[in-house]
Amino acid sequence: MRQGQVEVLAPAGSFESMKAAIGAGADGVYIGGSRFGARAYADNLDQERMLEAIDYAHFHGVSLYMTVNTLMKEEELRELPHFLAPYYEQGLDGVIVQDLGAVSVIRRCFEDLPVHASTQMTITGVHGARILADLGVKRVVTARELSLEEIRQIHEKVPIEIECFVHGALCYCYSGQCLLSSFIGGRSGNRGRCAQPCRLPYRVREQEGGKAQNNGRDRAYGRAGSSRERGGFKGDKASGKGRGAGREDSFLLSMKDLCTLDLIPDLIQAGVNSLKIEGRMKSPRYTAGVVRIYRKYVDQYYAQGKKGYRVDPADKKELLDLFDRGGLTEGYYRQHNGPDMIAVGKKPAFRQADQRLFEELDKLYVDGEKKEPVKGVLTVKEGQEICLELEMGGGRKDEKEPFKVTVRGPRAQTARNQPMSREQLEKQIRRAGDMPFVWERLDICLEGQVFLPVQALNQLRRQGLEQLKDRVTNRYRRTSLPLSTGLADEKGKEKEREEGLGQKTPRLCVLLSSEEGMGKILDVPQVLTVYMEADGLDPKRWSMWARDCHAHGKSAVLAMPVIFRTQAERFFEANLAALFEAGLDGILVRSLEEIEYLRRKGVKIPVYGDHNLYSFNSAAQDLLLRLGCKRTTFPLELNSREIGGLSGEKRELIGYGFLPAMVSAQCVRKNIWGCSKKPERLVMLDRIGKELFVENHCAYCYNIIYNPSPLRLLDETKRIRKLGLEAVRLQFTKESPQEIRQMVDAWVDGLYGGLGSEDPALETEDQGRKKRGRQENDPGLPGDFTRGHFRRGVE
């Protein structure tokens, strides 16, 4: 980036896009290699092309960052250092990473390679950024949902660079917290293969009662809440009600594209170091067009300041001409959420293209070749070696010292007839041909009556320009050290577990979203831990709930929110006394933010990591344990074989529950009918009639959209016992108390061989066969279920 200025960071889904971005004025480019990138379907570069791209960017004074921003399985993580080594040696400027295990391995193997935390890490504030800074991460790409003030707080309190998205597609879900594509078709956004189901139409049905809060102190456990549905679809075509957002052709989850031209001064003043443009799946023309406009306004801000800053409406129109999903939005920087961010209607089938604009972009940036200015002095003296001295700017724009080379050629001969003129010498040297240079100035120092073969001058020019180019790119070269991932050799461990050498019956845990169902599980001795959602119970009742758990021999663990931002922090700040006094046995954390927040507040209660604190590999697991987690939860996208290849010690597995497919700062309820300021449930239907229920968590101001079918691994208990797990968790959200008890009893049967036995070895073959029949055919258990990725996994 320019000295002391914000970086304009461009996407590149191909080599051509990279060249177009650099030609249009980008300070940095981010691009994917042949593996580990979150855009698996882009025209990612192979090794040879990537090495060429690094040199190309450096020659033109631009930084190049590689996306290594997928979650990595154990064997993939072992291969990561060898994959990165050639690019590290070539001078790669940084890697953008999601996986915590990858952060550990890269910091171990390449200490001076800058690591940037991907937006997929869901960093939403000061606390998470501080952990990353302590881990040696140089830059954080913040969650797209952050406000200007939240960004300013990170800048003021944490010594870390900040990168923010300023233009392009917005995800409906917090990045890194979306499993909808994964659940529907096995195409994981965390693995770079998102199918974008958020761009499809949905309908919404209102459901009264919603999530029962049961906040009254006199309310008894087990008493059912209201869940009566209001008939019909709000705003559908038949009823003609609503504000249009509930129509059958409504794209309720499809976000407008982000555009922050008006906010550039505010972003820079908030402390943003890099302005990131989205679009690695888009064309070189699009990339060039967007980059040149953001280059224009960043330069305008530094030239004229905020008072002189003005955005031409024609430039916004040009951005829409390049791509229009249904309008532009400033995103979350000035508001928490809202329907104006959603492209509710269908994308137009046909738009009149601005052919003049397209031709201009193609000519200037896509088909054109950027050239760097060079200065030279050619010295030709009769009877002496000719000499060419060359000089160009200092590579990246934050480097002041110019690059210089001097090359010499044959001796200048004495002319027998007509001597060479100054003009002839200059004309020959200025022929740069296909070299990426343009002469800024060329001085000719000529003495005597000289003659030189044209070939000698051409060779001198080529030699000098090639050496100058190499001088620039070679400056960034590094030497790799011996590579050691630090990963323990787990080969053979899975087979041992399969043979039962590590067989272990895990403890049974239950997570409740409210007090409903508590009365049905307290008398089940095999349930050893009860998790309770913090916003599902009045904080004044946390201590009473914990005492009830203890009275029945159970541990009480409070579950923190999935997203921890300003509103969630206010909730816990207001209830810190209740947290300290509750007598909790543990706290379930769902983000890095919460780990650091609890540490800063002096909370000594043990913490347990949930599935979305991704521990896809042993290095990520080790890091979470070092950060203070006593136990972590296996991610939902690992299959049984991959889980079996990792140690089950200090690990938990979710065996049942409606799983969160999306966590969003948007609110379906608010966007359609307005904010009710109370927790509710809605039902959202997709194109084939599948029902996804939606909860609005008002205490934290976010929505959770759940997978239509619950996860149920009840018929996998034999396999689960061989994984060596510490615990299996059953999660309950909308189930009735009776359904909760039926599922708990079925799992007690599955794990322990019946309520009266805690030793599965005592179970006879006939008993096991009858038990499996009960589990699969019990009419009291939900009939529609999924095994998630336990068998199939993801690519």
Side-chain angles (χ1 to χ4, degrees):
M1 67 186 78
R2 289 166 167 78
Q3 183 72 23
Q5 292 192 11
V6 71
E7 176 182 68
V8 176
L9 181 59
S14 66
F15 195 91
E16 291 69 30
S17 288
M18 178 206 66
K19 291 176 65 176
I22 291 173
D27 298 306
V29 175
Y30 64 102
I31 191 168
S34 58
R35 302 184 66 188
F36 308 122
R39 290 292 182 270
Y41 304 115
D43 188 12
N44 297 310
L45 307 188
D46 61 19
Q47 179 173 310
E48 181 181 357
R49 202 66 162 151
M50 179 63 77
L51 296 176
E52 183 183 351
I54 293 170
D55 280 352
Y56 185 93
H58 286 165
F59 176 74
H60 290 292
V62 172
S63 299
L64 188 141
Y65 311 112
M66 178 184 276
T67 57
V68 190
N69 55 340
T70 57
L71 296 177
M72 298 184 191
K73 300 175 185 179
E74 188 77 359
E75 285 307 308
E76 293 172 331
L77 190 59
R78 293 179 188 279
E79 298 162 1
L80 178 62
H82 297 283
F83 171 76
L84 287 178
Y87 311 126
Y88 169 81
E89 293 170 0
Q90 197 79 356
L92 182 66
D93 294 290
V95 285
I96 304 171
V97 178
Q98 176 187 9
D99 193 290
L100 288 173
V103 173
S104 292
V105 168
I106 293 169
R107 296 295 299 144
R108 172 189 289 268
C109 295
F110 310 104
E111 289 185 1
D112 59 339
L113 178 61
V115 175
H116 298 180
S118 169
T119 191
Q120 293 285 117
M121 276 199 186
T122 327
I123 299 301
T124 57
V126 169
H127 306 299
R130 186 174 284 122
I131 283 184
L132 294 178
D134 291 344
L135 292 174
V137 172
K138 181 179 180 180
R139 179 184 294 184
V140 57
V141 187
T142 55
R144 291 174 172 92
E145 292 79 4
L146 295 197
S147 67
L148 286 166
E149 181 54 33
E150 287 170 316
I151 292 168
R152 190 188 314 277
Q153 289 295 314
I154 297 174
H155 169 66
E156 292 177 353
K157 297 181 180 180
V158 186
I160 196 168
E161 290 183 7
I162 299 172
E163 181 176 303
C164 293
F165 280 94
V166 295
H167 194 89
L170 284 171
C171 292
Y172 185 83
C173 179
Y174 282 93
S175 296
Q177 304 300 316
C178 183
L179 297 172
L180 187 58
S181 174
S182 176
F183 288 159
I184 289 174
R187 288 176 54 176
S188 169
N190 285 312
R191 302 274 293 168
R193 292 170 171 82
C194 180
Q196 297 192 347
C198 54
R199 301 300 182 185
L200 298 174
Y202 294 88
R203 295 182 294 169
V204 175
R205 182 171 67 216
E206 189 173 21
Q207 188 174 352
E208 287 185 351
K211 177 180 173 182
Q213 290 298 292
N214 300 354
N215 289 336
R217 186 175 286 274
D218 59 343
R219 184 160 186 166
Y221 290 142
R223 186 174 169 186
S226 168
S227 59
R228 186 165 53 87
E229 290 187 6
R230 186 180 298 166
F233 289 94
K234 286 288 178 180
D236 66 15
K237 290 182 178 179
S239 67
K241 299 176 182 178
R243 289 188 251 168
R247 294 171 52 189
E248 292 187 23
D249 61 350
S250 292
F251 293 76
L252 304 177
L253 311 183
S254 184
M255 301 287 289
K256 295 178 182 177
D257 272 18
L258 179 66
C259 176
T260 63
L261 288 183
D262 292 313
L263 297 179
I264 284 176
D266 299 306
L267 287 162
I268 295 173
Q269 292 177 7
V272 175
N273 302 96
S274 180
L275 304 177
K276 186 171 193 172
I277 297 165
E278 184 277 339
R280 282 202 288 137
M281 296 296 289
K282 296 197 173 69
S283 69
R285 175 191 293 162
Y286 170 88
T287 302
V290 175
V291 167
R292 78 166 180 176
I293 289 178
Y294 276 85
R295 171 83 277 149
K296 168 184 175 180
Y297 285 103
V298 167
D299 291 346
Q300 182 194 115
Y301 168 77
Y302 283 111
Q304 302 178 20
K306 188 171 183 178
K307 288 185 178 180
Y309 188 85
R310 299 289 184 275
V311 175
D312 186 343
D315 286 326
K316 289 186 178 180
K317 180 183 180 302
E318 185 169 309
L319 291 172
L320 284 171
D321 287 338
L322 289 168
F323 190 83
D324 183 5
R325 201 189 298 273
L328 298 172
T329 175
E330 289 185 347
Y332 297 93
Y333 290 112
R334 286 177 169 165
Q335 60 178 330
H336 186 81
N337 54 32
D340 58 308
M341 298 188 202
I342 310 295
V344 175
K346 291 182 179 178
K347 182 179 176 180
F350 174 79
R351 291 178 296 126
Q352 185 67 42
D354 187 340
Q355 200 60 39
R356 179 204 57 78
L357 171 63
F358 295 168
E359 290 174 357
E360 177 187 345
L361 294 173
D362 287 347
K363 179 181 179 180
L364 290 176
Y365 309 117
V366 180
D367 301 326
E369 185 74 23
K370 183 177 176 63
K371 296 181 182 290
E372 294 299 325
V374 61
K375 301 174 184 177
V377 177
L378 175 66
T379 302
V380 180
K381 296 183 179 181
E382 186 178 344
Q384 297 184 18
E385 291 182 337
I386 58 175
C387 175
L388 180 61
E389 300 171 84
L390 299 173
E391 175 184 320
M392 68 170 285
R396 282 193 298 235
K397 298 177 178 65
D398 59 348
E399 296 173 343
K400 297 179 180 179
E401 292 298 320
F403 294 96
K404 299 179 180 180
V405 298
T406 300
V407 292
R408 299 184 183 277
R411 295 179 183 276
Q413 303 171 28
T414 301
R416 295 180 179 179
N417 297 311
Q418 186 175 0
M420 297 189 79
S421 67
R422 189 184 307 274
E423 290 73 18
Q424 288 175 312
L425 292 170
E426 181 173 354
K427 179 180 179 181
Q428 203 62 40
I429 293 295
R430 280 187 177 274
R431 291 179 178 177
D434 60 356
M435 296 292 286
F437 293 97
V438 59
W439 288 98
E440 180 179 345
R441 189 180 77 231
L442 177 60
D443 297 328
I444 306 295
C445 180
L446 176 62
E447 292 184 12
Q449 304 294 308
V450 301
F451 168 77
L452 281 168
V454 171
Q455 184 179 0
L457 289 171
N458 290 342
Q459 184 175 353
L460 184 74
R461 182 193 66 237
R462 282 195 300 268
Q463 182 182 359
L465 294 179
E466 286 173 357
Q467 284 190 21
L468 184 60
K469 182 180 177 184
D470 290 343
R471 179 69 59 85
V472 176
T473 56
N474 287 341
R475 173 169 181 171
Y476 306 100
R477 298 288 193 266
R478 305 185 186 96
T479 301
S480 283
L481 299 174
L483 303 178
S484 172
T485 64
L487 300 177
D489 186 5
E490 290 286 328
K491 290 184 178 180
K493 295 292 182 67
E494 182 183 0
K495 185 177 180 181
E496 290 180 7
R497 298 185 187 109
E498 284 286 357
E499 294 172 350
L501 299 179
Q503 185 161 260
K504 177 181 179 181
T505 301
R507 64 191 291 132
L508 189 60
C509 307
V510 168
L511 184 146
L512 300 173
S513 61
S514 71
E515 287 181 284
E516 287 189 287
M518 269 292 290
K520 293 292 186 179
I521 64 171
L522 285 176
D523 63 344
V524 181
Q526 288 81 4
V527 175
L528 298 180
T529 301
V530 179
Y531 295 94
M532 178 67 73
E533 294 287 355
D535 65 333
L537 184 64
D538 190 320
K540 296 176 182 178
R541 294 177 60 79
W542 288 348
S543 59
M544 180 180 178
W545 158 71
R547 287 196 300 270
D548 284 347
C549 289
H550 296 158
H552 290 82
K554 306 182 190 313
S555 300
V557 178
L558 195 70
M560 295 190 76
V562 181
I563 299 297
F564 194 80
R565 287 178 60 190
T566 303
Q567 192 153 336
E569 185 165 353
R570 287 180 188 142
F571 175 86
F572 281 91
E573 286 290 320
N575 296 294
L576 266 181
L579 185 69
F580 280 109
E581 296 166 2
L584 299 172
D585 301 291
I587 298 177
L588 183 68
V589 293
R590 272 95 174 234
S591 70
L592 293 176
E593 310 289 336
E594 292 163 354
I595 294 175
E596 179 67 7
Y597 172 76
L598 294 172
R599 188 185 72 82
R600 290 259 165 178
K601 292 299 177 181
V603 177
K604 305 297 184 182
I605 304 168
V607 297
Y608 303 93
D610 207 351
H611 66 88
N612 56 339
L613 265 176
Y614 294 112
S615 52
F616 244 62
N617 48 68
S618 59
Q621 167 76 351
D622 291 344
L623 179 54
L624 289 172
L625 295 180
R626 291 202 306 272
L627 290 174
C629 292
K630 302 300 181 184
R631 185 168 71 226
T632 66
T633 307
F634 273 113
L636 300 173
E637 294 183 311
L638 291 177
N639 62 32
S640 61
R641 179 184 57 79
E642 291 156 349
I643 292 172
L646 299 167
S647 172
E649 295 180 6
K650 300 183 179 179
R651 291 277 206 167
E652 186 169 328
L653 178 73
I654 297 175
Y656 171 82
F658 284 92
L659 300 178
M662 279 189 167
V663 183
S664 178
Q666 290 294 327
C667 180
V668 175
R669 172 59 166 91
K670 175 183 177 181
N671 286 351
I672 298 177
W673 296 288
C675 180
S676 65
K677 301 189 183 301
K678 64 180 181 180
E680 295 179 82
R681 278 204 194 102
L682 306 176
V683 176
M684 192 168 66
L685 280 79
D686 66 13
R687 293 181 301 170
I688 61 174
K690 282 280 189 179
E691 294 188 354
L692 300 83
F693 74 94
V694 186
E695 286 185 342
N696 53 312
H697 289 252
C698 295
Y700 316 130
C701 200
Y702 62 65
N703 270 199
I704 298 180
I705 300 173
Y706 289 87
N707 196 42
S709 303
L711 173 75
R712 197 171 96 192
L713 302 180
L714 195 52
D715 58 340
E716 300 284 353
T717 52
K718 181 178 179 181
R719 171 69 174 141
I720 288 172
R721 286 201 298 267
K722 291 183 178 180
L723 295 177
L725 299 167
E726 295 263 335
V728 169
R729 187 196 313 163
L730 314 181
Q731 300 192 160
F732 298 105
T733 46
K734 66 175 185 176
E735 294 85 353
S736 69
Q738 291 74 25
E739 289 171 335
I740 291 174
R741 181 55 184 260
Q742 287 166 344
M743 185 57 66
V744 168
D745 285 347
W747 273 88
V748 169
D749 270 351
L751 286 177
Y752 305 106
L755 289 174
S757 172
E758 295 186 12
D759 187 355
L762 299 178
E763 179 185 286
T764 67
E765 183 178 345
D766 184 58
Q767 287 172 331
R769 186 165 52 251
K770 290 180 179 179
K771 178 184 71 181
R772 287 190 294 274
R774 290 197 305 273
Q775 293 169 356
E776 292 303 311
N777 300 313
D778 189 335
L781 298 179
D784 181 26
F785 69 95
T786 176
R787 294 183 184 88
H789 293 292
F790 194 74
R791 290 186 179 178
R792 66 179 182 178
V794 294
E795 291 184 50

PDB file of all heavy atoms in Angstrom, residues 43-61:
ATOM      1  N   ASP A  43     -11.055 -19.713 -11.217  1.00  0.00           N
ATOM      2  CA  ASP A  43      -9.962 -20.186 -12.066  1.00  0.00           C
ATOM      3  C   ASP A  43      -8.650 -20.018 -11.301  1.00  0.00           C
ATOM      4  O   ASP A  43      -7.787 -19.211 -11.648  1.00  0.00           O
ATOM      5  CB  ASP A  43      -9.946 -19.378 -13.372  1.00  0.00           C
ATOM      6  CG  ASP A  43      -8.959 -19.934 -14.391  1.00  0.00           C
ATOM      7  OD1 ASP A  43      -8.472 -21.057 -14.179  1.00  0.00           O
ATOM      8  OD2 ASP A  43      -8.664 -19.237 -15.367  1.00  0.00           O
ATOM      9  N   ASN A  44      -8.534 -20.803 -10.225  1.00  0.00           N
ATOM     10  CA  ASN A  44      -7.391 -20.661  -9.331  1.00  0.00           C
ATOM     11  C   ASN A  44      -6.094 -21.102 -10.019  1.00  0.00           C
ATOM     12  O   ASN A  44      -6.093 -21.915 -10.938  1.00  0.00           O
ATOM     13  CB  ASN A  44      -7.628 -21.481  -8.063  1.00  0.00           C
ATOM     14  CG  ASN A  44      -8.819 -20.989  -7.273  1.00  0.00           C
ATOM     15  OD1 ASN A  44      -8.932 -19.799  -7.000  1.00  0.00           O
ATOM     16  ND2 ASN A  44      -9.716 -21.885  -6.915  1.00  0.00           N
ATOM     17  N   LEU A  45      -4.987 -20.573  -9.525  1.00  0.00           N
ATOM     18  CA  LEU A  45      -3.710 -20.732 -10.217  1.00  0.00           C
ATOM     19  C   LEU A  45      -2.960 -21.977  -9.765  1.00  0.00           C
ATOM     20  O   LEU A  45      -2.942 -22.304  -8.573  1.00  0.00           O
ATOM     21  CB  LEU A  45      -2.829 -19.501  -9.970  1.00  0.00           C
ATOM     22  CG  LEU A  45      -3.449 -18.133 -10.281  1.00  0.00           C
ATOM     23  CD1 LEU A  45      -2.387 -17.057 -10.181  1.00  0.00           C
ATOM     24  CD2 LEU A  45      -4.117 -18.105 -11.642  1.00  0.00           C
ATOM     25  N   ASP A  46      -2.326 -22.651 -10.725  1.00  0.00           N
ATOM     26  CA  ASP A  46      -1.429 -23.735 -10.360  1.00  0.00           C
ATOM     27  C   ASP A  46      -0.112 -23.137  -9.877  1.00  0.00           C
ATOM     28  O   ASP A  46       0.076 -21.915  -9.866  1.00  0.00           O
ATOM     29  CB  ASP A  46      -1.224 -24.704 -11.526  1.00  0.00           C
ATOM     30  CG  ASP A  46      -0.602 -24.032 -12.755  1.00  0.00           C
ATOM     31  OD1 ASP A  46      -0.004 -22.946 -12.623  1.00  0.00           O
ATOM     32  OD2 ASP A  46      -0.728 -24.597 -13.864  1.00  0.00           O
ATOM     33  N   GLN A  47       0.820 -23.996  -9.480  1.00  0.00           N
ATOM     34  CA  GLN A  47       2.043 -23.495  -8.849  1.00  0.00           C
ATOM     35  C   GLN A  47       2.841 -22.583  -9.773  1.00  0.00           C
ATOM     36  O   GLN A  47       3.273 -21.491  -9.365  1.00  0.00           O
ATOM     37  CB  GLN A  47       2.922 -24.667  -8.397  1.00  0.00           C
ATOM     38  CG  GLN A  47       4.222 -24.208  -7.753  1.00  0.00           C
ATOM     39  CD  GLN A  47       5.012 -25.348  -7.165  1.00  0.00           C
ATOM     40  OE1 GLN A  47       4.478 -26.152  -6.417  1.00  0.00           O
ATOM     41  NE2 GLN A  47       6.289 -25.439  -7.493  1.00  0.00           N
ATOM     42  N   GLU A  48       3.038 -22.991 -11.007  1.00  0.00           N
ATOM     43  CA  GLU A  48       3.836 -22.187 -11.932  1.00  0.00           C
ATOM     44  C   GLU A  48       3.215 -20.814 -12.153  1.00  0.00           C
ATOM     45  O   GLU A  48       3.911 -19.788 -12.134  1.00  0.00           O
ATOM     46  CB  GLU A  48       3.982 -22.923 -13.266  1.00  0.00           C
ATOM     47  CG  GLU A  48       4.823 -22.175 -14.285  1.00  0.00           C
ATOM     48  CD  GLU A  48       4.933 -22.924 -15.601  1.00  0.00           C
ATOM     49  OE1 GLU A  48       4.404 -24.053 -15.714  1.00  0.00           O
ATOM     50  OE2 GLU A  48       5.551 -22.366 -16.545  1.00  0.00           O
ATOM     51  N   ARG A  49       1.913 -20.803 -12.329  1.00  0.00           N
ATOM     52  CA  ARG A  49       1.225 -19.542 -12.593  1.00  0.00           C
ATOM     53  C   ARG A  49       1.210 -18.659 -11.342  1.00  0.00           C
ATOM     54  O   ARG A  49       1.305 -17.426 -11.438  1.00  0.00           O
ATOM     55  CB  ARG A  49      -0.199 -19.839 -13.050  1.00  0.00           C
ATOM     56  CG  ARG A  49      -0.859 -18.736 -13.851  1.00  0.00           C
ATOM     57  CD  ARG A  49      -0.199 -18.517 -15.174  1.00  0.00           C
ATOM     58  NE  ARG A  49      -1.083 -17.771 -16.084  1.00  0.00           N
ATOM     59  CZ  ARG A  49      -0.651 -16.978 -17.034  1.00  0.00           C
ATOM     60  NH1 ARG A  49       0.644 -16.802 -17.217  1.00  0.00           N
ATOM     61  NH2 ARG A  49      -1.511 -16.357 -17.840  1.00  0.00           N
ATOM     62  N   MET A  50       1.095 -19.272 -10.179  1.00  0.00           N
ATOM     63  CA  MET A  50       1.089 -18.487  -8.938  1.00  0.00           C
ATOM     64  C   MET A  50       2.450 -17.842  -8.695  1.00  0.00           C
ATOM     65  O   MET A  50       2.540 -16.675  -8.278  1.00  0.00           O
ATOM     66  CB  MET A  50       0.709 -19.368  -7.757  1.00  0.00           C
ATOM     67  CG  MET A  50       0.691 -18.629  -6.414  1.00  0.00           C
ATOM     68  SD  MET A  50      -0.537 -17.306  -6.332  1.00  0.00           S
ATOM     69  CE  MET A  50      -2.032 -18.276  -6.076  1.00  0.00           C
ATOM     70  N   LEU A  51       3.520 -18.566  -8.951  1.00  0.00           N
ATOM     71  CA  LEU A  51       4.857 -17.991  -8.801  1.00  0.00           C
ATOM     72  C   LEU A  51       5.038 -16.816  -9.756  1.00  0.00           C
ATOM     73  O   LEU A  51       5.614 -15.781  -9.390  1.00  0.00           O
ATOM     74  CB  LEU A  51       5.922 -19.055  -9.062  1.00  0.00           C
ATOM     75  CG  LEU A  51       5.940 -20.229  -8.072  1.00  0.00           C
ATOM     76  CD1 LEU A  51       6.984 -21.257  -8.498  1.00  0.00           C
ATOM     77  CD2 LEU A  51       6.205 -19.759  -6.652  1.00  0.00           C
ATOM     78  N   GLU A  52       4.526 -16.960 -10.950  1.00  0.00           N
ATOM     79  CA  GLU A  52       4.572 -15.865 -11.923  1.00  0.00           C
ATOM     80  C   GLU A  52       3.747 -14.670 -11.435  1.00  0.00           C
ATOM     81  O   GLU A  52       4.154 -13.504 -11.591  1.00  0.00           O
ATOM     82  CB  GLU A  52       4.049 -16.363 -13.271  1.00  0.00           C
ATOM     83  CG  GLU A  52       4.110 -15.322 -14.374  1.00  0.00           C
ATOM     84  CD  GLU A  52       3.518 -15.829 -15.687  1.00  0.00           C
ATOM     85  OE1 GLU A  52       3.211 -17.036 -15.787  1.00  0.00           O
ATOM     86  OE2 GLU A  52       3.342 -15.003 -16.609  1.00  0.00           O
ATOM     87  N   ALA A  53       2.597 -14.964 -10.820  1.00  0.00           N
ATOM     88  CA  ALA A  53       1.728 -13.894 -10.335  1.00  0.00           C
ATOM     89  C   ALA A  53       2.393 -13.103  -9.213  1.00  0.00           C
ATOM     90  O   ALA A  53       2.273 -11.872  -9.141  1.00  0.00           O
ATOM     91  CB  ALA A  53       0.400 -14.481  -9.850  1.00  0.00           C
ATOM     92  N   ILE A  54       3.105 -13.797  -8.332  1.00  0.00           N
ATOM     93  CA  ILE A  54       3.797 -13.108  -7.237  1.00  0.00           C
ATOM     94  C   ILE A  54       4.830 -12.134  -7.803  1.00  0.00           C
ATOM     95  O   ILE A  54       4.919 -10.970  -7.374  1.00  0.00           O
ATOM     96  CB  ILE A  54       4.456 -14.138  -6.293  1.00  0.00           C
ATOM     97  CG1 ILE A  54       3.379 -14.954  -5.551  1.00  0.00           C
ATOM     98  CG2 ILE A  54       5.372 -13.437  -5.291  1.00  0.00           C
ATOM     99  CD1 ILE A  54       3.928 -16.137  -4.785  1.00  0.00           C
ATOM    100  N   ASP A  55       5.607 -12.590  -8.778  1.00  0.00           N
ATOM    101  CA  ASP A  55       6.605 -11.701  -9.396  1.00  0.00           C
ATOM    102  C   ASP A  55       5.943 -10.544 -10.137  1.00  0.00           C
ATOM    103  O   ASP A  55       6.418  -9.404 -10.089  1.00  0.00           O
ATOM    104  CB  ASP A  55       7.484 -12.499 -10.361  1.00  0.00           C
ATOM    105  CG  ASP A  55       8.574 -13.278  -9.643  1.00  0.00           C
ATOM    106  OD1 ASP A  55       8.740 -13.079  -8.420  1.00  0.00           O
ATOM    107  OD2 ASP A  55       9.251 -14.089 -10.295  1.00  0.00           O
ATOM    108  N   TYR A  56       4.853 -10.853 -10.836  1.00  0.00           N
ATOM    109  CA  TYR A  56       4.159  -9.803 -11.587  1.00  0.00           C
ATOM    110  C   TYR A  56       3.671  -8.710 -10.630  1.00  0.00           C
ATOM    111  O   TYR A  56       3.855  -7.512 -10.888  1.00  0.00           O
ATOM    112  CB  TYR A  56       2.977 -10.409 -12.353  1.00  0.00           C
ATOM    113  CG  TYR A  56       2.269  -9.432 -13.259  1.00  0.00           C
ATOM    114  CD1 TYR A  56       2.628  -9.321 -14.592  1.00  0.00           C
ATOM    115  CD2 TYR A  56       1.242  -8.612 -12.774  1.00  0.00           C
ATOM    116  CE1 TYR A  56       1.989  -8.410 -15.440  1.00  0.00           C
ATOM    117  CE2 TYR A  56       0.599  -7.707 -13.596  1.00  0.00           C
ATOM    118  CZ  TYR A  56       0.972  -7.605 -14.934  1.00  0.00           C
ATOM    119  OH  TYR A  56       0.343  -6.708 -15.755  1.00  0.00           O
ATOM    120  N   ALA A  57       3.046  -9.117  -9.530  1.00  0.00           N
ATOM    121  CA  ALA A  57       2.536  -8.137  -8.567  1.00  0.00           C
ATOM    122  C   ALA A  57       3.678  -7.318  -7.965  1.00  0.00           C
ATOM    123  O   ALA A  57       3.605  -6.079  -7.879  1.00  0.00           O
ATOM    124  CB  ALA A  57       1.755  -8.852  -7.469  1.00  0.00           C
ATOM    125  N   HIS A  58       4.748  -7.992  -7.577  1.00  0.00           N
ATOM    126  CA  HIS A  58       5.853  -7.282  -6.947  1.00  0.00           C
ATOM    127  C   HIS A  58       6.527  -6.314  -7.909  1.00  0.00           C
ATOM    128  O   HIS A  58       6.943  -5.214  -7.523  1.00  0.00           O
ATOM    129  CB  HIS A  58       6.872  -8.288  -6.415  1.00  0.00           C
ATOM    130  CG  HIS A  58       6.405  -8.989  -5.178  1.00  0.00           C
ATOM    131  ND1 HIS A  58       6.989 -10.127  -4.691  1.00  0.00           N
ATOM    132  CD2 HIS A  58       5.383  -8.698  -4.331  1.00  0.00           C
ATOM    133  CE1 HIS A  58       6.362 -10.517  -3.595  1.00  0.00           C
ATOM    134  NE2 HIS A  58       5.378  -9.661  -3.360  1.00  0.00           N
ATOM    135  N   PHE A  59       6.657  -6.709  -9.152  1.00  0.00           N
ATOM    136  CA  PHE A  59       7.281  -5.813 -10.125  1.00  0.00           C
ATOM    137  C   PHE A  59       6.489  -4.515 -10.261  1.00  0.00           C
ATOM    138  O   PHE A  59       7.070  -3.436 -10.439  1.00  0.00           O
ATOM    139  CB  PHE A  59       7.389  -6.504 -11.485  1.00  0.00           C
ATOM    140  CG  PHE A  59       7.922  -5.605 -12.554  1.00  0.00           C
ATOM    141  CD1 PHE A  59       9.272  -5.267 -12.593  1.00  0.00           C
ATOM    142  CD2 PHE A  59       7.077  -5.059 -13.504  1.00  0.00           C
ATOM    143  CE1 PHE A  59       9.763  -4.412 -13.561  1.00  0.00           C
ATOM    144  CE2 PHE A  59       7.561  -4.199 -14.480  1.00  0.00           C
ATOM    145  CZ  PHE A  59       8.911  -3.873 -14.511  1.00  0.00           C
ATOM    146  N   HIS A  60       5.169  -4.634 -10.143  1.00  0.00           N
ATOM    147  CA  HIS A  60       4.322  -3.445 -10.293  1.00  0.00           C
ATOM    148  C   HIS A  60       4.020  -2.777  -8.943  1.00  0.00           C
ATOM    149  O   HIS A  60       3.121  -1.936  -8.853  1.00  0.00           O
ATOM    150  CB  HIS A  60       3.035  -3.809 -11.007  1.00  0.00           C
ATOM    151  CG  HIS A  60       3.229  -4.150 -12.450  1.00  0.00           C
ATOM    152  ND1 HIS A  60       3.615  -3.221 -13.384  1.00  0.00           N
ATOM    153  CD2 HIS A  60       3.125  -5.334 -13.114  1.00  0.00           C
ATOM    154  CE1 HIS A  60       3.731  -3.798 -14.572  1.00  0.00           C
ATOM    155  NE2 HIS A  60       3.449  -5.072 -14.441  1.00  0.00           N
ATOM    156  N   GLY A  61       4.771  -3.156  -7.909  1.00  0.00           N
ATOM    157  CA  GLY A  61       4.618  -2.489  -6.623  1.00  0.00           C
ATOM    158  C   GLY A  61       3.372  -2.865  -5.861  1.00  0.00           C
ATOM    159  O   GLY A  61       2.864  -2.087  -5.048  1.00  0.00           O
TER     160      GLY A  61
END
